[in-house]
Amino acid sequence: MNIQEITKDIFYVGVNDRVKHKFEALWPLPFGVSYNSYIVAGLEKVALIDTVCIEEVREYFNNINAIAAGRSIDYLVVNHMEPDHSGSIPEIVMAYPDIRIVGNSKTIDMIKGFYHIEDPDRYLEIKDGVTLPLGGLTLKFFLTPMVHWPETMMTYVAEREVIFSGDAFGTFGSLNGAVIDKDMETDTYINEMYRYYSNIVGKYGRFVVKALDKLSGTPISYICPTHGPVWNEKIPEVTSLVSRLASYKSEPGVVIVYGSMYGNTAEVAEMIARQLAQRGVKRIIIHNASHSEMSDMIRDAFHYQTLIVGSATYSMRLFPPVEEFMNAMETREIKNKVFATFGNYTWAAGAVTAKLLDYSERMKLPISASLIIKQSSSEATPKDVEEFADTVVEAMHSASEADADSI
Ligand code: FEO
């Protein structure tokens, strides 16, 4: 049982999932994940904020009963409808027959679609900025669409300076005893926040920026997301992290993603890395796209300033794992990168070059440097690689200066 008072009258009643292998059936969960739910206990009314994944419903009810035993729950606030949070709505409604579900029009439409709860009296539809008094505590609702679905919203308790932020500020990783950041070592969660943001919310950066703007000026002592720790001491750090990611601002470093069948393109990747290291680039991450997790490649491409992609030619196309990675970047509308490419065409002259160029134009990521070999890696002369590295480093310096100017 993992319950805790966050601040007076506000309780954590979420659960851990250490069983599921892949979140959304896509993203690995090496440290598990938590589904966070909270109780806000006013003097007159009690509100439950979000629910949990249906697989964890038994422990969830144990947690709720430990806090709310002897009191009814009057409201279920649904900040987000993705089933990792909405999955237990039908069970909550069955357990609390008088409960009213609080959400915006899109939320209510989705609940009807997912869970077939049709009774109009069941719902309390709210709009942006509306408040709901609980007695001594008041809920205020901020609509924050597309963080991460169109119905997403946040709920604020002014009396305690607490924001229930939905997926924003969420991270992978089960909670290992403690719930609030000040009571735990947070390095793993912060690292996983990069992966969570880039994998799950990454496409919606501009909406995250809007949501952060909407909250600016609102006093916040606790950020209570739907996944991971409750943020208190580290609010400045996580706000800055999310704000930078949402604006596609990244940190100094080079990520090389390559696909190679027989090692020639791989060797070019190694040669490029060696030259960059000799030019003082300290943070260089190399991913063999056939071997690395897509989730980690996406995380690192978001995190760091420079992306270098190398591909063998495969049936006149990019090597499939590289193409899949590039598609993932396109889906997430990645931008503001120093971008460079290398490839191996073997006999299909121009195929890889054309694909990389087409990608660069579609994504508005100009290619700073390009290096194409025919077959053997030895065709890339030391001079070719040195020139490639010089050009990339020069582009990195220009990008860093532009980034510093924009801060
Ligand atoms: Fe954790 Fe978008 O749901």
Side-chain angles (χ1 to χ4, degrees), residues 161-339:
E161 299 183 351
V162 172
I163 186 91
F164 300 99
S165 61
D167 280 351
F169 305 100
T171 177
F172 294 128
S174 294
L175 296 173
N176 301 324
V179 170
I180 305 175
D181 61 0
K182 63 185 166 62
D183 301 325
M184 65 174 77
E185 191 281 303
T186 56
D187 289 357
T188 303
Y189 298 105
I190 297 282
N191 192 38
E192 284 289 80
M193 187 177 266
Y194 284 100
R195 195 166 66 91
Y196 178 86
Y197 179 90
S198 58
N199 289 194
I200 309 298
V201 193
K203 179 180 173 59
Y204 308 109
R206 64 184 180 281
F207 299 101
V208 176
V209 169
K210 269 191 196 173
L212 292 173
D213 285 349
K214 202 165 188 172
L215 293 176
S216 69
T218 304
I220 295 174
S221 297
Y222 295 92
I223 297 176
C224 298
T226 45
H227 300 288
V230 167
W231 301 107
N232 168 242
E233 274 184 354
K234 303 238 159 145
I235 286 177
E237 184 179 344
V238 296
T239 306
S240 164
L241 188 160
V242 170
S243 175
R244 282 185 67 81
L245 286 174
S247 312
Y248 294 93
K249 287 182 178 166
S250 39
E251 292 169 31
V254 175
V255 179
I256 302 174
V257 175
Y258 73 86
S260 181
M261 280 177 281
Y262 296 104
N264 286 295
T265 310
E267 181 51 27
V268 176
E270 302 289 349
M271 291 156 73
I272 289 170
R274 275 197 293 278
Q275 288 299 322
L276 290 173
Q278 284 174 14
R279 282 156 180 74
V281 180
K282 290 205 165 61
R283 188 174 286 124
I284 302 171
I285 298 169
I286 302 182
H287 285 293
N288 174 350
S290 299
H291 184 271
S292 291
E293 282 286 353
M294 178 63 69
S295 181
D296 294 339
M297 293 192 288
I298 294 171
R299 173 198 60 206
D300 293 338
F302 261 76
H303 196 155
Y304 297 110
Q305 176 200 50
T306 298
L307 177 61
I308 302 177
V309 175
S311 180
T313 303
Y314 193 89
S315 298
M316 302 293 286
R317 302 183 67 90
L318 297 176
F319 188 55
V322 174
E323 189 161 37
E324 194 186 342
F325 167 73
M326 307 279 270
N327 289 342
M329 291 292 93
E330 188 167 7
T331 300
R332 286 159 183 75
E333 299 173 13
I334 198 161
K335 42 180 86 83
N336 295 344
K337 295 284 156 196
V338 172
F339 184 53

Side-chain angles (χ1 to χ4, degrees), residues 23 80 82 84-85 148 167 196 226-227:
F23 188 78
H80 183 21
E82 193 165 3
D84 52 333
H85 310 296
H148 141 233
D167 280 351
Y196 178 86
T226 45
H227 300 288

